[in-house]
Amino acid sequence: MMTDMRVKIAGVELKNPVMTASGTFGSGEEYSEFVDLNRLGAVVTKGVANVPWPGNATPRVAETYGGMMNAIGLQNPGIDVFCKRDIPFLQKYDTKIIVNVCGHAPEEYLAVVERLAEEKIDMMEINISCPNVNAGFLAFGQDPKHVEELTAEIKKIAKQPVIMKLTPNVTDIAEIARAAEAGGADAVSLINTLTGMKIDVNRRTFALANKTGGVSGPAVHPVAVRMVYQVANAVKIPVIGMGGVATAEDALEFILAGATGVAVGTANFVNPTATLDVIDGIQAYMEKYGVKDIHELIGAVK
Amino acid sequence: MAKFKECAKVVSQEKIGTGIFSMWLQTEQVAGEAKPGQFINLYCQDGSRLLPRPISICEVNKEAKQLRIVYRVAGKGTSEFSAYSEGEQVEILGPLGNGFPLDRMEEGKKAFLIGGGIGIPPMLELSRELKGEKQIILGYRDELFLNEELAENGTVYLATEDGSAGTKGNVLDAIRAEGLTADVIYACGPTPMLRALKAYAEENGIECWLSLEERMACGVGACLGCVCKSKEVDSHSHVHNKRVCKDGPVFLSTEVEL
């Protein structure tokens, strides 16, 4: 049976809805030994700022029950190195390039967005939701007014479609999504990690040097599905769902809840070929149930 | 430096000390590529434990495509591994990291191979593959392990915290007590030991290779979880954060700040 897994997000056609979650896949180079990047719908890169960021002190990662916590602190090489090295690397592959952008303040985001204007990338994802950066824009991403304003400013200068990445650490994520839409966002992606804390009882200290970190992995999946469902029913722009996707079934939950795209994150650490397993599993599901076009599944559960 | 994700099979497992286990794994490809000082990621069967456990390679049998790991039970993951018996299937990824540089030694030169506690296992394969005179200095709290096997490949000097064997004290106390000297140092062990060796090596102008440990997630250099402070800017982020899993775990002592 022929199955059509192609999806369109902001006019960009992806060969399938499966992409990588920012920060879990670098710019693809480290995983290219295990994963044929040509098979991915898109590679979403690790967040990049206007200048290099050293990130937080170690330990930066810890395991939690059915999940993990991280407080990397967005270590990245800055946009200049990124444009010279990472974008040309990804251009060798037949996949879409989505560059994740981070910053401490609006002007830092705007500097990166402006710098990306001339680059051959397909979309950008704006991280207004990292819980691990001190001057943190998490607080920023928690305020609908700020989200709308920043989105509008970015849209004024962006040459590629803009995805706003939302934090789950809010009372009403649908309200934040509507604010991004009102600001002109082409799509929203969610969820970023849930802020958590783990204490090492043997050492009687925090498991992470940063004290708090972002929780991810299968343990957060039901929370993410609920939020994707709420957002998909609150906005007209496409939604990219993520949070604990380890199998095709997990990804299909997001799609049925209304997501046009799905990202695989923490699962890459557990299984380097998780992205491919999810793609194959969605294909197998479509064949099993006679689904010719993946659009038959998007938002099918009301 | 190819890496492989594969399903290995436990050939044998043996308890060799209090909470210390030795496991031989049958691999398809990992053993064929493995070098001393590299490590493998072992994945738990229990899905609630997501992250792989990075464990150093103790011994390699390339002909039989087998790998040996010697590890300490430190938590739920290693506790799960310790219950595996012959025939158990275990997902592994490797070999990972750079390993110890063997070409820094030659016949006529003298090396220290220094292991502290659960940093001792990688010294076994290193001692078999390294050329030149091998002085193997092992630091323990009290209970000894692997010392007899290591003695087959060089001269072993012991240090124990309680003085029950060898020099009472740490590995540097043993080096001083025995009046030992070396051209190159290779070491793996707890950070305070590595810090002391770095200072010792730099004071005495000795080339010193240290194998570092840090909490890891991916093991392949993508997540940036396991960085260490480096003197030079790193190749990834152009800051001063080398990745222990990919740029290391073995670093020249002058390259890193501990």
Side-chain angles (χ1 to χ4, degrees):
Chain A
M1 189 185 113
M2 289 293 285
T3 53
D4 191 345
M5 286 176 73
R6 289 174 300 172
V7 294
K8 240 182 203 178
I9 296 172
V12 178
E13 187 179 280
L14 279 59
K15 61 180 74 168
N16 63 60
V18 179
M19 52 188 88
T20 58
S22 179
T24 65
F25 207 74
S27 290
E29 193 258 332
E30 290 85 5
Y31 279 100
S32 59
E33 225 176 303
F34 312 103
V35 176
D36 177 3
L37 303 183
N38 296 303
R39 292 198 55 207
L40 302 179
V43 170
V44 183
T45 67
K46 167 96 180 152
V48 61
N50 58 334
V51 294
W53 286 13
N56 293 328
T58 58
R60 291 176 168 187
V61 291
E63 189 174 74
T64 58
Y65 194 90
M68 67 172 286
M69 279 177 50
N70 87 83
I72 308 294
L74 288 169
Q75 178 185 325
N76 78 87
I79 190 66
D80 289 337
V81 169
F82 185 87
C83 288
K84 269 189 225 122
R85 178 186 69 191
D86 299 47
I87 295 174
F89 169 80
L90 282 169
Q91 278 167 345
K92 295 187 292 186
Y93 295 92
D94 177 24
T95 186
K96 299 299 174 192
I97 305 171
I98 302 179
V99 176
N100 184 285
V101 178
C102 61
H104 298 106
E107 51 277 18
E108 294 183 14
Y109 286 95
L110 293 170
V112 179
V113 171
E114 197 167 10
R115 180 77 174 71
L116 285 170
E118 303 305 317
E119 297 291 332
K120 290 193 178 69
I121 63 160
D122 298 287
M123 288 188 251
M124 58 183 83
E125 180 182 62
I126 311 297
N127 180 1
I128 49 166
S129 43
C130 181
N132 300 324
V133 176
N134 274 339
F137 257 42
L138 172 58
F140 194 92
Q142 289 170 327
D143 180 336
K145 189 166 157 282
H146 284 143
V147 170
E148 182 176 342
E149 283 170 8
L150 180 66
T151 308
E153 279 191 63
I154 287 170
K155 277 299 290 178
K156 261 187 239 160
I157 58 166
K159 293 282 189 287
Q160 298 91 358
V162 172
I163 304 162
M164 298 303 281
K165 184 166 182 178
L166 311 183
T167 174
N169 303 302
V170 291
T171 309
D172 180 7
I173 197 164
E175 187 189 9
I176 308 289
R178 279 191 295 266
E181 184 177 42
D186 297 287
V188 287
S189 58
L190 63 142
I191 59 173
N192 204 320
T193 52
L194 285 148
T195 309
M197 179 180 280
K198 182 181 167 76
I199 291 173
D200 182 331
V201 298
N202 296 313
R203 294 189 301 127
R204 296 193 190 178
T205 183
F206 303 98
L208 301 178
N210 192 54
K211 295 186 184 178
T212 61
V215 183
S216 62
V220 310
H221 182 252
V223 177
V225 173
R226 182 263 292 178
M227 289 188 163
V228 164
Y229 177 80
Q230 286 178 318
V231 168
N233 285 288
V235 297
K236 293 191 179 64
I237 51 178
V239 175
I240 300 165
M242 68 197 71
V245 174
T247 65
E249 191 177 326
D250 302 331
L252 284 159
E253 284 193 55
F254 280 125
I255 292 168
L256 290 166
T260 306
V262 206
V264 178
T266 300
N268 293 307
F269 304 154
V270 188
N271 169 16
T273 60
T275 43
L276 304 184
D277 297 348
V278 169
I279 294 167
D280 292 340
I282 294 174
Q283 168 102 31
Y285 175 92
M286 290 173 72
E287 286 168 6
K288 180 180 171 189
Y289 289 99
V291 179
K292 290 197 179 69
D293 187 327
I294 197 151
H295 289 87
E296 294 168 41
L297 300 174
I298 298 172
V301 173
K302 296 289 176 199
Chain B
M1 294 228 291
K3 309 179 194 78
F4 306 97
K5 174 94 193 287
E6 59 175 79
C7 187
K9 200 182 254 181
V10 175
V11 178
S12 62
Q13 169 136 266
E14 189 189 355
K15 189 175 177 184
I16 62 166
T18 308
I20 312 263
F21 290 80
S22 165
M23 189 195 285
W24 275 100
L25 292 167
Q26 182 66 51
T27 74
E28 285 294 320
Q29 292 168 295
V30 178
E33 296 283 325
K35 293 189 299 189
Q38 289 188 300
F39 66 97
I40 56 171
N41 266 353
L42 261 83
Y43 298 82
C44 294
Q45 291 171 356
D46 184 327
S48 72
R49 293 193 279 275
L50 240 49
L51 298 179
R53 271 54 175 172
I55 298 183
S56 66
I57 293 167
C58 173
E59 220 180 319
V60 186
N61 181 340
K62 289 204 189 229
E63 264 174 33
K65 299 183 187 171
Q66 293 180 354
L67 276 183
R68 182 187 184 191
I69 54 171
V70 168
Y71 60 97
R72 188 198 302 276
V73 173
K76 295 191 186 84
T78 41
S79 177
E80 178 191 308
F81 302 152
S82 72
Y84 293 171
S85 48
E86 187 189 336
E88 194 86 51
Q89 309 258 337
V90 51
E91 290 286 328
I92 64 168
L93 175 71
L96 301 173
N98 56 358
F100 288 110
L102 300 173
D103 60 0
R104 305 304 301 162
M105 275 291 291
E106 56 194 52
E107 295 304 335
K109 278 177 119 180
K110 299 202 297 186
F112 285 160
L113 284 69
I114 303 175
I118 206 61
I120 290 170
M123 294 302 143
L124 186 54
E125 186 60 29
L126 179 65
S127 70
R128 296 163 103 223
E129 298 193 22
L130 206 61
K131 290 195 179 74
E133 187 185 332
K134 288 163 277 194
Q135 305 166 89
I136 304 166
I137 302 117
L138 308 175
Y140 299 90
R141 191 160 294 156
D142 43 30
E143 190 184 6
L144 308 181
F145 60 91
L146 290 179
N147 55 310
E148 287 171 7
E149 290 180 68
L150 278 152
E152 293 167 18
N153 307 318
T155 314
V156 166
Y157 302 89
L158 302 174
T160 50
E161 284 176 21
D162 65 355
S164 57
T167 304
K168 183 176 187 331
N170 60 35
V171 292
L172 268 174
D173 295 327
I175 288 169
R176 292 188 177 116
E178 301 283 346
L180 305 176
T181 58
D183 302 301
V184 187
I185 299 174
Y186 298 92
C188 181
T191 304
M193 179 189 104
L194 300 182
R195 201 176 284 133
L197 287 173
K198 173 178 157 73
Y200 168 84
E202 284 161 23
E203 271 163 33
N204 293 284
I206 307 172
E207 177 179 326
C208 177
W209 298 89
L210 303 174
S211 179
L212 308 192
E213 196 174 34
E214 186 51 72
R215 290 273 170 187
M216 294 181 183
C218 73
V220 297
C223 76
L224 309 180
C226 64
V227 297
C228 64
K229 289 278 155 225
S230 58
K231 184 169 266 178
E232 306 296 327
V233 296
D234 61 270
S235 64
H236 180 278
S237 300
H238 295 223
V239 285
H240 292 267
N241 283 343
K242 293 204 175 176
R243 293 165 290 182
V244 173
C245 69
K246 192 180 168 93
D247 304 320
V250 178
F251 294 96
L252 194 57
S253 68
T254 49
E255 235 185 305
V256 289
E257 287 166 29
L258 293 173

